[in-house]
Amino acid sequence: MTELELVTLENGKVCIVIGEEVIDGTKYVYLVNAGNKKDYVIRKEINNELIGLDDQKEFDKAIMNLFAKLQRGEKNGREWFYIF
């Protein structure tokens, strides 16, 4: 069984890290609310801090990368795809 990595966001929400991907040199972290599995969050890591995405275009890039990996059936060691 995979150990869960928990992070607390700036709004106090505790989330489980379900995936990480580097896209165009930026590390994106995919999270799900520990108390509500239908509440997803995407953050990017800058200087070891998780920060919000800049705009809808950046969100679209991050989410489309995730969906493309799901379609190809790729996994990343965290076995996070079962959540979807």
Side-chain angles (χ1 to χ4, degrees), residues 2 18 74-83:
T2 303
I18 58 172
E74 294 180 26
K75 298 190 185 273
N76 71 351
R78 289 184 188 263
E79 305 302 332
W80 50 298
F81 296 102
Y82 75 92
I83 293 172

Side-chain angles (χ1 to χ4, degrees), residues 29-46:
V29 181
Y30 300 89
L31 308 125
V32 63
N33 184 336
N36 179 358
K37 70 179 186 174
K38 294 183 181 185
D39 182 16
Y40 293 94
V41 180
I42 301 174
R43 293 287 195 266
K44 62 184 171 184
E45 187 176 292
I46 305 291

Side-chain angles (χ1 to χ4, degrees), residues 3-48:
E3 247 183 75
L4 296 179
E5 181 180 350
L6 300 175
V7 296
T8 302
L9 300 180
E10 69 284 347
N11 59 6
K13 188 184 297 187
V14 177
C15 293
I16 302 166
V17 176
I18 58 172
E20 299 173 342
E21 299 296 331
V22 176
I23 307 167
D24 299 330
T26 301
K27 182 178 179 180
Y28 291 91
V29 181
Y30 300 89
L31 308 125
V32 63
N33 184 336
N36 179 358
K37 70 179 186 174
K38 294 183 181 185
D39 182 16
Y40 293 94
V41 180
I42 301 174
R43 293 287 195 266
K44 62 184 171 184
E45 187 176 292
I46 305 291
N47 298 324
N48 293 320

